[in-house]
Amino acid sequence: MRRNTSITLLSVGHACVDVYQGAVAALIPFLVDRRGYGYAAASGVVLAASLLSSVAQPFFGALTDRRAVPWLLPASTLLAGVGIALSGLGGAYALTLGCVALSGLGVAAYHPESARVARRAAAGAHSAMAWFSLGGNAGFALAPLLVAAVVGTGGLHRTPLLVLPALAGTALCLVVLRAAHARPSMPGGTAPAGGSDDTASFVRLALAVVCRSVVFIGLSTFLPLYVRQRLGGSAVAGTVALFVLYLGGAVGSVLGGALAERWDRVTVCRWSCLVSVAAVAGVLLVPGPALYGCTALTSVGLYVPFSLQVTLGQDYLPSRVGTAGGITLGLAVSVGGVASPLIGRIADATSLRTALTPLVLMPALSWLLLRTLPEPAPPKLSAGAPTTPVTGRRRAQSWPSTTRRRTTR
């Protein structure tokens, strides 16, 4: 496949998976209204999806470093959709937790392999990786609209209809895998030859992504309820706010890739953290409908570094690209859900605004962690390194050589 075609298919497939990450938060207002969940119980649903996903990410990342597992792409897509599709059936709280946890496991299985394949298909271009990330953010943005259209009009018993994006995504994955079989060099590769790991920098980067995750998942979980408190109105007002939060992420991802082509990735990440501090404060303090504007700015600030952090992590751990992708694209993103029950308990004891106020500090902590982070050198490839087909063996990375061949024609 051509690079643009590969990235487009992977991006749409990414959207079909991440719609289920966004669907968990989008279901919260309906669970609160129709099952009477409190803040702590509602945040427990988010924790169930995040916790299993967080625990499983390193396992799947290590697996993709050891061998090619392309079948994970369609299988994990389907699993993510089935979990959410079953979450509205039956009123038992434990059953709901189990279903969203199953969906989280599917999300965990998808991201390490997809990040490796996308980086290879992107041929090292930041803008191409940004478009891949855009797919995931678009899935997030569509989730509130999809849930509102299905659950808002027909009730929680209609959640089985939410499996449709997973079926579409599974079909797309099969198309990608068939093309990869015809041209085996596309999805292969793990690490550039001769690369050395910078574990200390990777750990600091991962901690910065965790801080960002706490903000994003905290707002995703409680923003719809908070907006309804501040502005009044029905669940629609909260759904609109959540849509703005996710849509701004799509804009931020593309903007981040463009900015990284002009400045280095670490500098762009630092500045986005400072923007996020002011924007989150605006969400909590600015009165009236201007809250929606602050929400959009918060989303852009949080998502400008999103794809950049994935490639930074892969460059800091060139011998473990799958692990790096699994942590930066999956684990460090979903682990923020662990903080949601704490936010919920504080909100039950005080107020929702009081519980959300500490989120202002999280982007500042990210900035401190990134402040002295080095910009890694681009990955290098040994001369004459072969491009190998997808097998169960460890493979040599080849995206720099793809770039080299293209520029010397």
Side-chain angles (χ1 to χ4, degrees):
M1 285 186 180
R2 293 182 180 272
R3 187 182 76 179
N4 289 345
T5 303
S6 301
I7 289 294
T8 298
L9 292 177
L10 289 167
S11 180
V12 176
H14 195 186
C16 292
V17 172
D18 277 7
V19 71
Y20 297 109
Q21 290 200 82
V24 175
L27 284 169
I28 293 299
F30 299 102
L31 294 173
V32 170
D33 286 345
R34 302 179 189 189
R35 294 185 180 174
Y37 291 173
Y39 290 132
S43 61
V45 176
V46 178
L47 176 62
S50 301
L51 188 60
L52 184 58
S53 179
S54 300
V55 171
Q57 290 282 359
F59 167 77
F60 287 113
L63 177 64
T64 60
D65 281 333
R66 298 175 68 89
R67 63 180 68 250
V69 281
W71 59 264
L72 270 181
L73 296 182
S76 59
T77 301
L78 190 59
L79 187 62
V82 169
I84 293 299
L86 297 176
S87 64
L89 303 181
Y93 185 66
L95 179 60
T96 303
L97 296 184
C99 289
V100 298
L102 184 67
S103 179
L105 182 63
V107 171
Y110 176 84
H111 282 104
E113 180 70 4
S114 67
R116 181 186 64 80
V117 173
R119 182 73 189 271
R120 174 68 181 277
H126 300 315
S127 58
M129 282 298 291
W131 282 104
F132 170 69
S133 297
L134 171 65
N137 300 329
F140 265 107
L142 291 173
L145 303 181
L146 182 63
V147 170
V150 173
V151 179
T153 59
L156 289 169
H157 68 278
R158 287 195 177 180
T159 54
L161 293 175
L162 297 176
V163 79
L164 293 177
L167 297 179
T170 301
L172 281 175
C173 288
L174 293 176
V175 171
V176 171
L177 294 182
R178 177 174 294 184
H181 180 73
R183 185 183 176 187
S185 62
M186 193 283 283
T190 53
S196 59
D197 292 348
D198 184 354
T199 305
S201 294
F202 179 79
V203 170
R204 286 158 57 197
L205 174 69
L207 290 174
V209 179
V210 167
C211 292
R212 174 241 176 238
S213 173
V214 171
V215 179
F216 183 74
I217 295 185
L219 288 178
S220 298
T221 305
F222 296 107
L223 184 64
L225 303 174
Y226 179 70
V227 169
R228 290 174 63 182
Q229 287 184 4
R230 289 282 305 276
L231 304 181
S234 65
V236 174
T239 299
V240 170
L242 194 60
F243 174 70
V244 170
L245 180 69
Y246 292 161
L247 183 62
V251 175
S253 290
V254 176
L255 180 61
L259 293 175
E261 299 290 349
R262 182 167 184 178
W263 293 283
D264 66 85
R265 291 168 290 179
V266 174
T267 298
V268 174
C269 291
R270 289 179 193 141
W271 279 104
S272 68
C273 290
L274 297 179
V275 171
S276 298
V277 171
V280 174
V283 169
L284 300 176
L285 300 176
V286 170
L291 183 152
Y292 288 107
C294 293
T295 298
L297 184 60
T298 296
S299 183
V300 172
L302 291 175
Y303 266 99
V304 159
F306 188 72
S307 65
L308 309 183
Q309 289 164 341
V310 176
T311 59
L312 278 171
Q314 291 173 330
D315 288 346
Y316 287 137
L317 293 185
S319 70
R320 289 172 286 171
V321 172
T323 298
I327 291 176
T328 54
L329 189 61
L331 170 63
V333 174
S334 60
V335 77
V338 176
S340 294
L342 177 60
I343 297 174
R345 289 185 177 276
I346 296 174
D348 283 333
T350 57
S351 70
L352 196 49
R353 176 184 278 185
T354 300
L356 293 175
T357 298
L359 297 183
V360 178
L361 300 177
M362 292 295 103
L365 291 177
S366 291
W367 179 84
L368 289 174
L369 289 164
L370 296 171
R371 189 171 60 89
T372 58
L373 203 65
E375 175 73 20
K380 297 178 181 180
L381 187 70
S382 307
T387 299
T388 58
V390 178
T391 67
R393 300 177 181 175
R394 193 173 181 85
R395 301 158 311 274
Q397 182 57 281
S398 63
W399 65 68
S401 64
T402 304
T403 305
R404 188 180 302 116
R405 286 192 300 268
R406 187 171 58 252
T407 55
T408 54
R409 288 176 181 173

